[in-house]
Amino acid sequence: MSTFNLEIFHKRAAAAEEEIAVLKKEIEFIRQNITSNNSKIQSVSKDEYEKLEQENIKLKHRVAILKRTIEAERAKTQHGMKMAGTCNSVSIYDTLVGLFERAISAAYPDVPDPPVIITSSTSPKFGDYQCNSAMPLTKQLSSTGIKTSPQNVANNIMSKVEESALVSKLEVAGTGFINIYLKKEFVKTALSNLVKAGKICPPYTKKQRVIVDFSSPNIAKEMHVGHLRSTIIGDSIARLLEFLGHDVLRFNHLGDWGTQFGMLIAYLQEKFPNYLTQSPPITDLQSFYKESKTRFDEDEEFKKRAYYCVVKLQSFDPDIIKAWQLICDVSGKELNKIYTRLDIKIIDRGESFYQKHMEAIVKELESRGLLEEDEGRKVMWGKRNGNEIPLTIVKSDGGFTYDTSDIAALKQRVDEEKVDWLIYVTDAGQSMHFQVLKSCGERAGILKSFHRMDHVGFGVVLGQDKKKFKTRSGDSVKLNDLLDEGLKRALQKLQEKERDKVLTEEELKMAQESIAYGCIKYADLSHNRNHEYVFSFDKMLEDRGNTAVYLLYALTRIRSIARAANISREKLEEIAQSTPVSVEHEKEWKLAKVLMKFPDVLIKITKDLHLHLLCEYCYEISCAFTEFYDNCYCVEKNEQGEIMKINMGRILLSEATAIIMEQCFSILGLKPVARM
């Protein structure tokens, strides 16, 4: 199926699913009406009784029509599935859920919301997947007075499962488990088409406009290890959503407003009085910040000037704005050096952008009676876990706060940027703030029922002593210094393996950067973001286990197989037109099934935004490939090193593995290299 036709199928399938969801809600509503009518029948007159009976007959007839409509829609989708089964973007999990959902509904039409439980099998003797719905469904039936066994329920469900392009056979085992065996032909075709295309297409998702708000350092301050997790996690989430086809805005909510800028501007005026006509030579903004802070803390007259500069800044005085812009420009160049090193694209959108929006939102909230006086402040109440908690919208001195900025930004993003989904990537300590912000956004009518807002929280980075990661002097570790140390350690690792003797100077540099930045990113992403993790270069740079180094080496080794057989990527795409991917050996089949999980892994991550699942998947691929490679020869050579036989089906399976691993690495922000 062509990419164009496949996209049409996905859109039709998504539309069908949405229509089915609406029909299901209508069926449930009708069932509630029938139940209500049945409860009334016991205590009504004969005429009213007959009227209710007639109404129930009509309602049941409507349910039957709706069910047939659902089946028709499902049949269309199933047909499309057969046509699109040649693409690895098909979600096996979602397809099986749909298949058994229909079967269970057909077997037990009167059971509301029956459980549909699909899992991957832990052993080949239990099939490739399992449907584990029979036991909970038996309990559900028992509660309504229907006595049966899980085995009978499982057999009944199995008898209703329609023919599928995905399933070769079903069998009931144990206490009602239904073992599901995939069709090898389906998997072979999907992987062959993947190699033909030379890339993997994403699973279909409803396209949305998304803002990922991440990194968010302060202007005039160097990025430190505290910014590491937000920057890396936010970038990877953006990469994932971009791959899935969403319209993603990557916003850097910079701290570029407020008292600290009055302090910096006052010091700029003092140290470089000609700043309006001559660009001030600020080469070390961090030292400049520290000097201005010292003046601010020790000199009352300077502090007054700083506060006066804040007032003029907030009123957009041209000379003060010029000073503010100069400082922002110098700081921006330093921040961009970090983003360039980490290959991160981001749009600077500081707090300053929302100044006018803050003034407008305060007026709007006041006019609608949503602000209350509280000890001189103006607050808006939101909820968190049922408790009312305030956002401070206006301080007692009339100034604005981070709360004001965030509610103004929320409104601007929904009203002007037209976003459907907002993602904030900050430390877990801000969880309550974002729950209250969401609550206030809903209360103010900014967030509608179709909007999605997620706070992606994370734990802190710890040092070897299990305390917050600091330098020996107690200062925060600068991100630039951390990346430099990563480069140094990566080079040492490559030299230990004597790679500097076989790689060119350019190849060595590429491998060094790939390992250094990759190991820092992967160590972060491979941990559950809700937890703290210990920063350790020694562990990051290990070439065994679930590390970036191991996985980067694994991909390089996979890519070398085709090179050793003198087969280019273009040639592989051509070979795939007539040669099937080999999946007959148990290790080939195991690897192929792991590769087919790719769409399901991505879909799962979009639900909770936990990227460690993708890291675990990469490691699962690598382990399955190692088992395959150790048991199945791709290229056979004689003692002289001459190629005697090439198993093209296995070479194609290796290529499919490499394509999927490369896409995973792209989402994680890792850069593989041809030689390492």
Side-chain angles (χ1 to χ4, degrees), residues 207-476:
K207 303 302 179 277
Q208 293 181 291
R209 189 164 171 82
V210 189
I211 282 178
V212 184
D213 181 326
F214 69 104
S215 195
S216 305
N218 288 318
I219 290 291
K221 292 183 182 178
E222 281 190 270
M223 288 179 76
H224 55 77
V225 72
H227 299 109
L228 183 67
R229 300 207 76 181
S230 176
T231 305
I232 290 172
I233 294 169
D235 176 60
S236 193
I237 289 172
R239 286 170 178 266
L240 168 64
L241 298 180
E242 285 161 352
F243 173 67
L244 291 173
H246 296 292
D247 180 11
V248 180
L249 296 170
R250 301 156 155 258
F251 278 0
N252 196 5
H253 193 75
L254 292 166
D256 67 347
W257 210 241
T259 303
Q260 66 175 6
F261 271 87
M263 177 184 80
L264 286 162
I265 292 166
Y267 192 61
L268 181 74
Q269 290 174 328
E270 184 178 280
K271 194 160 186 181
F272 303 105
N274 298 326
Y275 76 88
L276 288 171
T277 56
Q278 186 176 345
S279 183
I282 304 174
T283 53
D284 188 347
L285 193 58
Q286 188 74 3
S287 296
F288 188 85
Y289 179 88
K290 287 179 179 178
E291 290 166 16
S292 65
K293 184 73 168 67
T294 301
R295 294 277 285 119
F296 184 83
D297 292 339
E298 297 176 355
D299 187 332
E300 282 300 317
E301 185 60 35
F302 179 84
K303 185 179 284 189
K304 287 178 185 176
R305 292 206 309 274
Y307 282 133
Y308 180 65
C309 286
V310 175
V311 173
K312 297 190 80 174
L313 176 65
Q314 292 182 344
S315 62
F316 294 92
D317 177 277
D319 290 354
I320 298 298
I321 288 293
K322 175 72 182 290
W324 169 81
Q325 191 64 60
L326 285 168
I327 294 165
C328 288
D329 289 346
V330 173
S331 184
K333 287 175 184 174
E334 292 304 310
L335 295 176
N336 284 331
K337 287 178 184 176
I338 296 283
Y339 295 132
T340 299
R341 291 180 76 172
L342 291 173
D343 189 28
I344 288 171
K345 295 178 177 64
I346 197 164
I347 301 166
D348 291 341
R349 178 67 66 82
E351 290 175 88
S352 57
F353 177 86
Y354 301 102
Q355 179 66 23
K356 293 293 185 185
H357 295 84
M358 285 190 268
E359 295 166 9
I361 194 71
V362 170
K363 287 179 183 176
E364 179 186 332
L365 296 175
E366 272 190 312
S367 68
R368 294 172 56 196
L370 293 171
L371 298 186
E372 295 181 23
E373 291 283 341
D374 182 68
E375 298 180 353
R377 303 176 303 159
K378 291 179 182 178
V379 302
M380 182 178 181
W381 295 91
K383 288 187 177 180
R384 183 206 182 213
N385 299 332
N387 299 314
E388 290 206 333
I389 298 170
L391 289 184
T392 300
I393 304 300
V394 183
K395 294 190 294 184
S396 56
D397 63 2
F400 297 150
T401 68
Y402 289 124
D403 292 349
T404 328
S405 172
D406 280 350
I407 195 78
L410 183 64
K411 183 169 175 59
Q412 188 276 334
R413 291 169 177 186
V414 169
D415 290 355
E416 297 178 19
E417 305 292 352
K418 306 296 182 187
V419 298
D420 308 292
W421 185 2
L422 301 107
I423 300 171
Y424 297 86
V425 187
T426 74
D427 65 90
Q430 296 187 52
S431 173
M432 183 176 74
H433 167 73
F434 284 104
Q435 287 179 51
V436 177
L437 177 66
K438 182 180 180 182
S439 173
C440 287
E442 290 168 344
R443 187 179 165 213
I446 298 168
L447 292 176
K448 307 294 192 301
S449 59
F450 57 84
H451 287 118
R452 177 177 171 183
M453 176 175 159
D454 289 298
H455 173 235
V456 177
F458 50 81
V460 299
V461 181
L462 305 177
Q464 296 290 331
D465 56 1
K466 305 290 177 71
K467 295 178 181 178
K468 206 168 182 180
F469 196 21
K470 300 275 188 182
T471 63
R472 288 183 179 177
S473 62
D475 295 329
S476 293

Side-chain angles (χ1 to χ4, degrees), residues 464 489-490 493-494 496-497 515-516 518-520 522-523 536-554 619 676:
Q464 296 290 331
R489 300 275 193 122
K493 188 78 175 177
L494 289 163
E496 283 171 15
K497 292 182 170 292
I515 291 172
C519 79
I520 291 171
Y522 195 83
S536 167
F537 272 122
D538 290 339
K539 287 186 177 179
M540 289 178 190
L541 289 165
E542 286 180 359
D543 52 12
R544 294 180 182 179
N546 190 11
T547 67
V549 177
Y550 172 73
L551 292 171
L552 287 164
Y553 274 129
Y619 187 56
M676 185 175 286

Side-chain angles (χ1 to χ4, degrees), residues 53 96 102 146 304 393 417 477 508-509 579 602 610:
E53 278 285 282
L96 292 176
R102 295 192 293 280
I146 300 172
K304 287 178 185 176
I393 304 300
E417 305 292 352
V477 178
L508 183 65
K509 184 175 183 293
T579 304
L602 298 194
H610 279 101

Side-chain angles (χ1 to χ4, degrees), residues 21-229:
V22 171
L23 294 174
K24 281 184 169 182
K25 285 181 181 178
E26 187 175 348
I27 288 173
E28 186 56 35
F29 179 72
I30 291 170
R31 280 177 171 159
Q32 288 172 7
N33 283 341
I34 292 172
T35 302
S36 175
N37 288 345
N38 287 336
S39 66
K40 292 176 186 176
I41 282 173
Q42 309 302 322
S43 58
V44 297
S45 65
K46 184 179 178 182
D47 288 346
E48 191 66 24
Y49 175 88
E50 289 177 355
K51 185 179 177 183
L52 289 171
E53 278 285 282
Q54 287 299 316
E55 186 178 340
N56 276 354
I57 290 169
K58 289 178 182 178
L59 290 172
K60 287 177 180 178
H61 181 62
R62 175 63 180 158
V63 168
I65 292 171
L66 289 171
K67 283 189 171 184
R68 285 198 295 273
T69 304
I70 288 174
E71 288 305 313
E73 290 293 341
R74 291 289 195 185
K76 288 179 192 174
T77 306
Q78 186 68 11
H79 176 70
M81 167 74 183
K82 290 176 182 177
M83 298 299 292
T86 55
C87 178
N88 195 38
S89 64
V90 171
S91 166
I92 290 177
Y93 175 81
D94 284 353
T95 303
L96 292 176
V97 166
L99 201 63
F100 279 87
E101 187 176 56
R102 295 192 293 280
I104 293 169
S105 293
Y108 300 97
D110 296 325
V111 176
D113 298 320
V116 183
I117 304 167
I118 303 295
T119 61
S120 294
S121 294
T122 54
S123 169
K125 68 180 181 180
F126 301 127
D128 302 313
Y129 287 81
Q130 282 187 326
C131 174
N132 301 333
S133 300
M135 193 171 289
L137 189 53
T138 303
K139 291 179 181 177
Q140 202 168 339
L141 290 166
S142 178
S143 68
T144 63
I146 300 172
K147 302 299 180 184
T148 185
S149 70
Q151 289 91 340
N152 286 340
V153 171
N155 279 304
N156 196 15
I157 293 170
M158 194 170 72
S159 70
K160 302 295 184 184
V161 176
E162 62 204 37
E163 186 181 346
S164 168
L166 197 63
V167 178
S168 64
K169 72 171 183 173
L170 302 169
E171 63 182 21
V172 175
T175 55
F177 300 109
I178 302 175
N179 295 338
I180 306 165
Y181 294 83
L182 299 180
K183 281 185 180 174
K184 288 189 174 181
E185 195 58 40
F186 176 88
V187 174
K188 284 167 66 173
T189 307
L191 294 179
S192 290
N193 273 10
L194 172 62
V195 179
K196 288 176 196 175
K199 64 178 183 179
I200 185 164
C201 51
Y204 178 82
T205 52
K206 185 179 179 182
K207 303 302 179 277
Q208 293 181 291
R209 189 164 171 82
V210 189
I211 282 178
V212 184
D213 181 326
F214 69 104
S215 195
S216 305
N218 288 318
I219 290 291
K221 292 183 182 178
E222 281 190 270
M223 288 179 76
H224 55 77
V225 72
H227 299 109
L228 183 67
R229 300 207 76 181

Side-chain angles (χ1 to χ4, degrees), residues 620-632:
E620 185 182 7
I621 293 175
S622 185
C623 291
F625 184 84
T626 299
E627 286 185 39
F628 153 73
Y629 190 70
D630 289 345
N631 289 274
C632 305

